[in-house]
Amino acid sequence: QLQLVESGGSLVQPGGSLRLACVASGFTFHAYYISWYRQAPGKERERVACISSSNDDTEYADFVKDRFTISRDNAIATAYLEMKTLRPEDTAVYYCTTSVASCEPPLRWGQGTQVTVSS
């Protein structure tokens, strides 16, 4: 069964940090690009970060550059999103996705993990 399972979301204070994980199963993880998207209430989903299948190229949205870091461990079919200096506007459900040969379009979605930044 093809599956992406996100975890690590929680309530955190502004300025805090979180590490999200995305565990994949049922497909050849190392052959796919991985992206993290987020969706805040009442807003469109937006891509936050993307990493190539070979782990040698990353892309970030301007609003998370120098704060978030995407990484992956192909040996254990897991991707990560390290988030630092969190802001209230980072509050959203975060999803991981797969894609072929580039960051778009996303093919598979996980169920998401809630990140809430609030004091």
Side-chain angles (χ1 to χ4, degrees), residues 8-12 16-20 81-84 86 114-117:
S10 71
L11 171 64
V12 63
S17 300
L18 280 177
R19 188 194 198 199
L20 307 183
L81 185 68
E82 189 82 35
M83 305 186 294
K84 298 181 180 179
L86 283 162
Q114 176 70 49
V115 172
T116 303
V117 185

Side-chain angles (χ1 to χ4, degrees), residues 3-112:
Q3 204 169 15
L4 295 168
V5 179
E6 301 95 333
S7 64
S10 71
L11 171 64
V12 63
Q13 291 190 340
S17 300
L18 280 177
R19 188 194 198 199
L20 307 183
C22 171
V23 178
S25 60
F27 63 98
T28 310
F29 179 78
H30 62 81
Y32 292 86
Y33 280 57
I34 297 294
S35 293
W36 285 93
Y37 283 73
R38 71 185 187 186
Q39 187 168 24
K43 294 188 176 181
E44 297 286 323
R45 278 183 184 176
E46 55 188 359
R47 194 174 78 218
V48 173
C50 174
I51 187 166
S52 64
S53 55
S54 55
N55 209 2
D56 60 358
D57 190 26
T58 56
E59 292 182 11
Y60 294 93
D62 286 342
F63 52 81
V64 301
K65 276 182 181 176
D66 300 324
R67 298 190 301 125
F68 291 10
T69 302
I70 189 171
S71 62
R72 65 190 294 164
D73 186 342
N74 287 340
I76 58 171
T78 301
Y80 303 97
L81 185 68
E82 189 82 35
M83 305 186 294
K84 298 181 180 179
T85 320
L86 283 162
R87 305 165 180 169
E89 54 264 39
D90 294 318
T91 295
V93 178
Y94 285 72
Y95 302 88
C96 66
T97 72
T98 63
S99 54
V100 178
S102 69
C103 298
E104 297 280 352
L107 299 176
R108 304 183 185 93
W109 294 79
Q111 85 290 346

